Each structure stands twice: as C-alpha cells, then as structure tokens.
Amino acid sequence: MIRLHHVGLDRAGGSRSALLDDISLEIGAGAFRWLLGPSGAGKTSLLRVIGMGERPTRGQVSLFGADTQAARRRSGRGLTPKLRRRIGVVYQDFRLLPELTLFDNVALPLRLARRRESELVTQARDMLAWLGLGDRLDALPRQLSGGEQQRAAIARAVVGRPALLLADEPTGNLDDAQAARVLQLFVELHRAGSTVVVATHNTALVQAFAAPAIRLAAGRLVGHG
Amino acid sequence: MAERPVTRLRADRLGLGRALGSRLLPALVAAMTFLAALALAGMVGASQLAGRWQDGAGTLVTVQVPQPGEAAAGGAGGRLDRVEALLDGDARIAAHHRLDDTELQHLLEPWLGDGTKLDTLPLPAVVQVRLRADDAAAGLPPGLSAAIANAAPGTLVEANGVWGVRLARLAASLQACAALALLLVGLVAAGVIAVAARASLGAKRQTVEIVHGLGAAPGDIAGRFARRASVLCAIGGVAGSLAALPVLVALARLAAPFSALPKEADDALVAAWQARLPAAVVTALRDSLPSALWRAIPALPLGATAIGWAATQATVRAWLRRL
C-alpha cells in the first residue's frame, strides 16, 4: 500500500538540515498508524510526501503499487489524478475553498470523481450531519468557527471513502467529545478497509485507540510498529 | 432537514477562469490583432505587387530598329515592317506596339526638351513588345532575336525580364518580412497570454493546488482557464480586426499595391456577398479591399482564439507539472 524507500526531503533554499532524512517504511493495506513526534519532527512533511503534495528530494515513494515519481512523468501522467482521488487528506490548515459553500467543499472530491449528483448530495449531506454540520450546508468557510472548519475538512477527506486517509492534527481545534467522534469516524473507515495515518500531539486520542505508531524526530524515523 | 436542491459545480464556481483579467487581456489581444491585420495586409500587398510586376515590367521587351525606313536585308520591305511582321508571327508574343512620334517625344523630353523636331534626328523606331507571362523570364525567344538581327542588322533588343525577376524577388522578400512580422505578432500574443495565465494562476494558486490535490485532472483545470482565455481572446480578436478595417481601407485607397486589386475580386466571395447584402454594400466591399484580404481578416479572431486556448493550456499544464 505505502512504501517509502530511503526518502529524503530538503528544505527550500538549501538549508543544511533536511525536513526528512532517509525514511524507509512500509504500511500495509487497511492498517491504522499513529504518526507521532515533537513539533518540527517532520510529521506534516511525511504526510505531504505520502499524499503526493510534495516531491521527495531523494528516495522512492510507492502508493497502491505505483511509483509516484513515475506516475508524475509523461508516461504516467494520467495516473496521478487517479492516485490522488484515492487519497483523503485532512490538512492542518483545513484548506477549504473560500468560494464554495460547506456543502460544495465537501462534495468537491465526489464531483471530481464524477459521481452522480443525486448520489453525492446524499453522501455529502450525511457526512456533514454526522459531524454536526447539517445546518451549515450553505455557509461559506469564513462564516465558520475553527472547529467547524476542521470538521468540514475532515468531512471532505472521508466523504469519498478513500483507500488512504492522511490526517494532520485533525483534532487540534476540537473539544474532547468532537475529537472522540472524529476518531470513531477514522476507526470505522479503517475497519471498512481503508489505510489510515493520523499525525497528532493528542495523547488522549492515541490512548483511545490502540494502534502501531510511527515515531519521528528531527526528520528521521526513530520508531515504527 | 429541508430537501436541498441539487446543484452542479459549474466551471465558474471556483472562479478559476475569472482570475484572467477581463479588460486587459482583450485589449492586448485587440492590439496584437490590429498589428497582425497590418502585417497580413503587407503580405497580400507584396504578393499582389509581385504579380503586377511579373505581369507588367517583367513581360516587356524593348526593340530599337535603326534606319526603320530602309530596306530590310534580303529586300523584302522596310526594316521596321519586317521586324513587326516577325513579331506578329510568333505565338510567344502577347502584343507589340510601335511608339509614335508623340510617345517618342514624351520619352525623350527629359534629354532633348519639348521643342525638338524628331524628324531631324536619326532616331531608331521603338517597339514595345509584351511577352506572354510564362515566357517572360527568358526574354525574347532566341530564334526570333536571330531572325530580327538577320532582317534588320543593328537592331537592339532590351529585355526587362531580368528586372521583373529581381522585382519579383524583392516582392517575395517583402512578403517574407510581412509573414515574419505576422509570426512575431502571434508569438508575442502567445507570450502575453501566457503571462496573463501565469498571473491568474498566481492569484488562484491555493484553489488550484487544492483542486489538483483532490485529484482534478490537469486537463480539467487547464480547460477552465483556457475556455475563459479563448472567449477573451475572441473578443479581443474581433475588436482588433474591426479596428483595423478602416485603416486597411484607407491604406488601400492610398497604396499602389492595392489599387488594381478590386478588379481581381474573387467571384465566389462576391457571389456570397450578393446573396446576403444589398448591391451598394457589395460594390463598396468589393472596391474597398482585395478579396484575399477580405478572406484572411475573419481568420484573425479565429487565430487569436486558438492562440489564447493553446497558450493557456500549455501554461497551466506546465505549471501543474511542477506541483
């Protein structure tokens, strides 16, 4: 499912210290992994490299059996959007589209996957309702609180039932009850067969669901499993 | 919960295309189209010049027969009559004309003044010969030249074909320059459109990155920008072409290259006009510009639209490849 082979990522501008340094790991299909480490350890960078949001400076990344660098080259260019459509990402900064309503933001991955409109309306609405946003469908992101935006970002990431979910601090703006509900959502997705990788500082969340952890420090892999 | 109306994500909901400036880009494309119309007119004009020179000076040969009234060699009539008979008998000669005294007087006026009596001077008779266009470059046929030399020794044959060829080459060079100018205008237009597309990508960078990250195909994203760019370029192209028309008509009235052209109007084009327009308008159109230009000008907005679409597609796709 996910295979990283000696992956490195340099900082822009050629700073000496790398964001990621010689990371090699494998995560099987349907696995759940916590991604842990102090601030600046490289968690976000690792998620971005896995999620094809960043090209590694060195090494090789394979997703679903496909080499991501090769997919980006001319011969495999059509493959990249297909790979991306199988990945759901919860960004730390939410990255909701300001021009679109909450409903349209959540429905966007389904529309890009060319799902039928009648089908996606139900899916997006149900997902927002599950996350307590059923009455904010027509609100624009700027009209939402941080917690609401975070839940909307989570809804957008999971609404298409992605084969791989990457979540970067998904509960940073949520209270305990909401965080527990989000965790429940991730666990259900994992039990339905998706691979889930969650980066977090929230120890209560980690303790609430026992799963192997990938540990990073200063851009290096210091523990896995 | 109230039933939510089903809505489609229209192309402009993300505002990607709208990021392209709706005023500056059409104005720039209009300016480029205006220049392209002038270059195109230059190409057509040079082409027509080449044709006219080829059909005009290039086909002319001047024959000077000294002692025109004396007997031709062999005794069969006068020298001039014999030369004219030889010209009459050759199928490669389109026409010939002996200059009369008034024409000779006019021809020699710069050297002799206007009061000179020509019959007091031992002037040769001058015959202007027009060759058929196909044979113009070679000058007077060699067999004919020899026959003239035998019949009227001392006769001078001066072919203008060489000058015609040189003028045709000059016209071809002018045509190539105009084509190059047209190409440059197209390239500059493509560059301007690419810069505008880059600016709009910068303005919508976050949206594009998010949509791209969610799995939108590069073709989908580029298509949203390119559709908008095509519309703006089409508007600019039409505006530029319309603005160029009066200038071209004015040039056509002033410039020699166009002056003889309406007579060569394309019958099919004129017939198409006649089917749709009043007779007075058809006459005005036919007499205003060469039909070649009338045919080419509508291609300019189409070309601008195509350049806009292609340049935007290429720019956006190249930008996405770096993500």
Side-chain angles (χ1 to χ4, degrees):
Chain A
M1 160 62 85
I2 303 173
R3 185 172 172 274
L4 276 71
H5 186 67
H6 299 297
V7 165
L9 180 66
D10 291 343
R11 291 175 195 275
S15 170
R16 277 192 171 185
S17 61
L19 291 165
L20 295 174
D21 187 14
D22 197 28
I23 305 276
S24 293
L25 59 85
E26 283 189 32
I27 303 173
F32 192 112
R33 293 285 184 277
W34 295 109
L35 179 56
L36 306 176
S39 293
K43 300 188 296 294
T44 298
S45 297
L46 184 60
L47 289 181
R48 284 184 60 76
V49 166
I50 295 173
M52 301 180 73
E54 194 96 54
R55 293 174 197 235
T57 316
R58 292 171 296 281
Q60 191 181 29
V61 179
S62 297
L63 288 180
F64 313 113
D67 182 334
T68 56
Q69 271 97 314
R72 283 184 170 114
R73 284 195 288 271
R74 180 171 287 276
S75 57
R77 210 173 283 157
L79 182 60
T80 308
K82 286 180 188 165
L83 288 176
R84 286 195 164 112
R85 284 200 283 267
R86 296 179 71 186
I87 305 169
V89 183
V90 182
Y91 299 97
Q92 210 169 356
D93 56 354
F94 320 138
R95 310 198 91 189
L96 297 171
L97 290 166
E99 305 90 348
L100 301 184
T101 64
L102 203 51
F103 174 84
D104 284 331
N105 262 291
V106 173
L108 186 57
L110 303 175
R111 284 174 168 142
L112 290 172
R114 308 213 184 281
R115 299 274 179 84
R116 277 186 305 171
E117 198 71 16
S118 57
E119 181 190 336
L120 72 83
V121 167
T122 309
Q123 273 183 269
R125 202 168 50 196
D126 290 351
M127 184 53 64
L128 283 165
W130 165 262
L131 287 162
L133 295 168
D135 57 346
R136 308 302 309 271
L137 298 181
D138 293 321
L140 293 169
R142 65 172 178 273
Q143 297 167 322
L144 302 174
S145 69
E148 286 173 324
Q149 288 189 42
Q150 187 148 42
R151 281 180 282 154
I154 291 166
R156 186 180 64 185
V158 302
V159 70
R161 300 187 187 286
L164 171 61
L165 175 69
L166 304 170
D168 193 1
E169 297 288 358
T171 60
N173 289 275
L174 306 182
D175 59 33
D176 290 347
Q178 287 170 340
R181 201 163 173 75
V182 166
L183 178 61
Q184 188 186 344
L185 187 64
F186 290 173
V187 170
E188 280 185 18
L189 200 64
H190 156 60
R191 286 182 178 146
S194 297
T195 304
V196 179
V197 181
V198 182
T200 185
H201 285 112
N202 187 335
T203 50
L205 196 71
V206 176
Q207 285 164 1
F209 182 70
I214 300 163
R215 293 178 190 279
L216 295 179
R220 298 184 72 90
L221 186 67
V222 293
H224 183 201
Chain B
M1 185 190 305
E3 203 51 36
R4 195 167 194 285
V6 172
T7 55
R8 282 214 162 270
L9 186 69
R10 296 196 316 267
D12 63 349
R13 290 276 284 278
L14 291 171
L16 296 183
R18 285 199 304 276
L20 278 163
S22 60
R23 287 185 184 172
L24 186 60
L25 188 59
L28 288 170
V29 172
M32 293 294 161
T33 309
F34 184 90
L35 292 175
L38 295 184
L40 200 61
M43 270 180 73
V44 171
S47 164
Q48 302 292 346
L49 267 183
R52 288 182 66 200
W53 285 339
Q54 204 70 44
D55 295 343
T59 60
L60 277 182
V61 173
T62 307
V63 178
Q64 296 178 41
V65 186
Q67 296 99 39
E70 291 185 9
R79 286 160 58 90
L80 178 59
D81 295 338
R82 183 77 185 115
V83 168
E84 285 190 304
L86 286 168
L87 293 172
D88 280 334
D90 197 307
R92 290 164 292 190
I93 306 299
H96 62 88
H97 165 68
R98 180 193 170 187
L99 301 189
D100 59 25
D101 286 352
T102 311
E103 288 170 313
L104 273 178
Q105 180 91 48
H106 185 65
L107 192 67
L108 297 173
E109 209 172 79
W111 291 274
L112 304 179
D114 58 356
T116 311
K117 290 194 174 299
L118 293 182
D119 52 10
T120 62
L121 296 172
L123 290 175
V126 178
V127 182
Q128 277 189 342
V129 180
R130 183 169 296 281
L131 302 172
R132 296 201 185 283
D134 298 346
D135 301 317
L140 211 59
L144 182 60
S145 296
I148 290 173
N150 286 336
T155 298
L156 285 177
V157 176
E158 192 179 0
N160 296 334
V162 175
W163 286 105
V165 169
R166 286 177 185 170
L167 288 172
R169 282 184 189 151
L170 174 63
S173 302
L174 290 173
Q175 220 173 338
C177 287
L180 190 64
L182 194 62
L183 180 69
L184 278 176
V185 168
L187 289 174
V188 170
V192 165
I193 293 161
V195 168
R198 280 300 301 266
S200 62
L201 277 167
K204 285 287 176 183
R205 183 186 179 98
Q206 193 185 16
T207 300
V208 173
E209 283 182 353
I210 292 170
V211 174
H212 187 247
L214 289 171
D220 286 347
I221 298 171
R224 290 176 190 234
F225 283 96
R227 275 192 292 276
R228 173 77 168 166
S230 301
V231 170
L232 295 178
C233 290
I235 292 169
V238 169
S241 300
L242 290 176
L245 271 180
V247 178
L248 294 180
V249 170
L251 282 174
R253 287 178 189 278
L254 292 172
F258 294 152
S259 58
L261 295 171
K263 292 169 193 165
E264 299 158 14
D266 185 324
D267 290 342
L269 187 66
V270 173
W273 286 340
Q274 282 167 339
R276 295 172 179 81
L277 301 170
V281 176
V282 172
T283 306
L285 287 173
R286 193 187 57 208
D287 293 346
S288 57
L289 284 179
S291 54
L293 211 48
W294 275 122
R295 281 195 180 283
I297 284 174
L300 289 175
L302 294 176
T305 307
I307 289 172
W309 186 87
T312 309
Q313 279 272 353
T315 305
V316 176
R317 283 172 184 266
W319 192 83
L320 290 173
R321 272 200 291 277
R322 288 199 290 272
L323 289 182

